[in-house]
Amino acid sequence: MADINSALALSDAPKTAADAPPPAAAEAAPLVDFVELLFFAYRDFVADPDEILAPIGFGRAHHRVVHFVNRHPGMRVTDLLDILRITKQSLGRVLRELVDEGFVESRAGASDRRQRLLFPTAKGETLARQFVALQSRRIETALEASGPESRDTVRRFLLAMIDPEDRVPVERLIERADRAARARRG
């Protein structure tokens, strides 16, 4: 019981200055309805890919890896670890399964043979396109229901949900992937 009580006591105190609520927010009513809406939106957003993955024995971690490897072909394993913020051990199992099943290819780096570079296979690209098509339809439907100015508002909102120190790197990552995708299409 001591562990539980000490954990509860620690959870009440902000861990860093960034964790402390701003003075006005501490007095405002909690946005529990938005919290719940985000939970339900995420549940439904990942449900479509979950249905595709379940029959092949894969889960959400596989989805995220396939997505990012497809968006950033040739990315280093260390970069994927940074994006996903998971342990090397967690990624190792998922990556091994994706490689074994032919969705991802792992190659040695040209200048540093110890470096592992990840590429989607044709099978991985097809799977990633299926995910993006399903999820894009869901997003497009929601944007249409939200009105003509919603696209920019939603984009700003989602970006603002990211920790401030990560916003610029995330925007750059997305922009690089978009440029590379346009270049591959010709």
Side-chain angles (χ1 to χ4, degrees):
M1 284 308 243
D3 291 339
I4 294 171
N5 292 335
S6 63
L8 289 175
L10 289 174
S11 68
D12 291 340
K15 290 159 191 62
T16 67
D19 293 331
E27 298 165 9
L31 297 172
V32 71
D33 55 337
F34 280 93
V35 171
E36 288 180 359
L37 285 169
L38 281 170
F39 280 124
F40 287 117
Y42 178 74
R43 177 198 67 189
D44 293 349
F45 180 72
V46 296
D48 299 324
D50 285 352
E51 287 181 31
I52 294 170
L53 291 167
I56 55 178
F58 288 172
R60 292 180 182 167
H62 297 87
H63 174 199
R64 290 188 296 269
V65 170
V66 167
H67 173 84
F68 284 106
V69 169
N70 189 63
R71 282 281 285 168
H72 307 277
M75 76 182 319
R76 298 176 308 168
V77 170
T78 55
D79 294 332
L80 186 57
L81 287 168
D82 287 343
I83 289 170
L84 298 177
R85 292 189 178 163
I86 60 174
T87 64
K88 194 173 185 179
Q89 182 178 358
S90 297
L91 177 60
R93 177 190 60 80
V94 169
L95 199 51
R96 188 171 33 262
E97 291 172 349
L98 289 167
V99 168
D100 290 349
E101 294 297 321
F103 292 96
V104 172
E105 183 181 346
S106 175
R107 303 179 197 160
S111 60
D112 184 349
R113 307 290 297 162
R114 296 170 297 173
Q115 194 175 57
R116 302 311 303 167
L117 305 179
L118 304 173
F119 295 86
T121 63
K123 189 175 171 181
E125 288 175 354
T126 299
L127 187 62
R129 278 195 304 271
Q130 285 179 301
F131 296 154
V132 168
L134 289 168
Q135 292 179 312
S136 292
R137 272 196 300 272
R138 182 175 292 277
I139 292 168
E140 194 61 45
T141 300
L143 289 172
E144 287 173 11
S146 299
E149 303 299 319
S150 63
R151 185 179 223 94
D152 289 335
T153 301
V154 170
R155 189 177 199 294
R156 283 192 311 272
F157 171 79
L158 291 172
L159 192 57
M161 288 288 294
I162 298 169
D163 288 339
E165 65 275 7
D166 291 333
R167 290 177 194 154
V168 170
V170 165
E171 283 185 299
R172 286 185 186 140
L173 183 75
I174 291 169
E175 289 168 7
R176 266 196 319 272
D178 287 345
R179 277 195 309 274
R182 283 191 300 273
R184 283 192 301 274
R185 285 190 301 265

